[in-house]
Amino acid sequence: MRHMIVARTGRPEQHTPDTGTPDGGTAVSAWAAEEAGLRGLPLRTVRVPPPDGWDGTGLVVVGIPEAEGAAGLAPGSTAAVALGTAPCPVALVPERAVLPGPVRRAGPVVLGVDARRPARGAIEFAFETARTRGVRLHAVHAWTLPPDADAFRFGIPEEDRAAWEDQEVQLLADVLRPWRAGRPEVRVTEDVRLLSPARALLHTAAGAGLLVVGRGPGRGPGGVLRALAARTMCPVVVVPG
């Protein structure tokens, strides 16, 4: 068995014994089962971390109860344990985000990209997911004004702001070029936004089928991920590396 999707929903104290099948018929488990079918992967339901380790796991699916929001990523929570121990992507599925499959999954895959420090694993996952689903990939790079902007006491000239934005556009295009060349069948929208990463992603993810972000090695859930867990209306996949 080369890969599997491991699905676990609810609070740790509510976990049922390992069954090898989705638990409880919940909406989150149904989402995991549909995702497994799209990827052609077998599905297990296990405790997190699984007693037999993560070997062979391709994706971990964790439900975030509606009442918890960002608190669902608190230390010791199922989601935090999965993010801290799984060497593979982790899908955080807020209960509010699980809608009937065809409508939600038809939306684009939104990819958060830091064009200066790109998470290549997240880019690869997003391109492959968009290809599998046959949907558009919307890549978003959030940026801020450079320190030079402080020198303009009476407002930033439009030509300077435009020149800085052009640099960000070029950075994003350069990062994505190898993947666009390798998967020409994937339709890609490249988007740079003068916003914080959380605001840029939340705005873009309205109507999305999936949101993909990267995570550095050894890093726990940060402010951006907590904001997404609290407010996003679609599942969020966190890809390590």
Side-chain angles (χ1 to χ4, degrees), residues 5-231:
I5 292 181
V6 181
R8 169 56 70 202
T9 63
R11 297 177 179 82
E13 63 270 19
Q14 296 174 329
H15 287 175
T16 57
D18 297 351
T19 62
T21 59
D23 63 315
T26 66
V28 173
S29 291
W31 184 92
E34 187 176 353
E35 191 69 18
L38 286 173
R39 297 177 180 275
L41 301 178
L43 177 65
R44 293 175 61 197
T45 296
V46 301
R47 297 181 184 276
V48 174
D52 54 352
W54 293 111
D55 288 348
T57 304
L59 178 67
V60 181
V61 180
V62 181
I64 305 294
E66 177 64 21
E68 295 185 5
L73 301 181
S77 66
T78 300
V81 171
L83 288 168
T85 61
C88 60
V90 175
L92 305 175
V93 186
E95 289 180 345
R96 66 181 175 279
V98 183
L99 302 178
V103 175
R104 177 60 71 183
R105 289 181 190 274
V109 172
V110 173
L111 167 66
V113 183
D114 181 344
R116 288 178 171 76
R117 293 177 295 275
R120 302 188 182 279
I123 298 173
E124 177 68 25
F125 185 94
F127 266 86
E128 181 59 22
T129 300
R131 184 196 67 79
T132 299
R133 296 187 178 192
V135 299
R136 179 174 296 278
L137 174 63
H138 193 147
V140 182
H141 166 56
W143 66 288
T144 59
L145 294 172
D148 295 351
D150 294 338
F152 297 99
R153 298 178 56 189
F154 303 105
I156 300 171
E158 179 59 28
E159 58 269 25
D160 289 274
R161 192 206 63 79
W164 290 327
E165 184 171 6
D166 287 345
Q167 293 176 4
E168 304 300 321
V169 169
Q170 188 61 54
L171 281 172
L172 180 59
D174 290 344
V175 167
L176 297 180
R177 186 173 294 110
W179 281 275
R180 297 192 69 160
R183 290 185 174 83
E185 70 276 19
V186 176
R187 297 165 293 156
V188 180
T189 297
E190 298 180 3
D191 193 1
V192 299
R193 297 194 174 236
L194 186 57
L195 293 170
S196 68
R199 289 183 62 191
L201 291 173
L202 286 168
H203 180 79
T204 309
L210 194 70
L211 175 58
V212 180
V213 296
R215 176 176 61 85
R219 294 176 58 185
V224 173
L225 189 54
R226 293 181 186 279
L228 297 178
R231 298 174 56 191

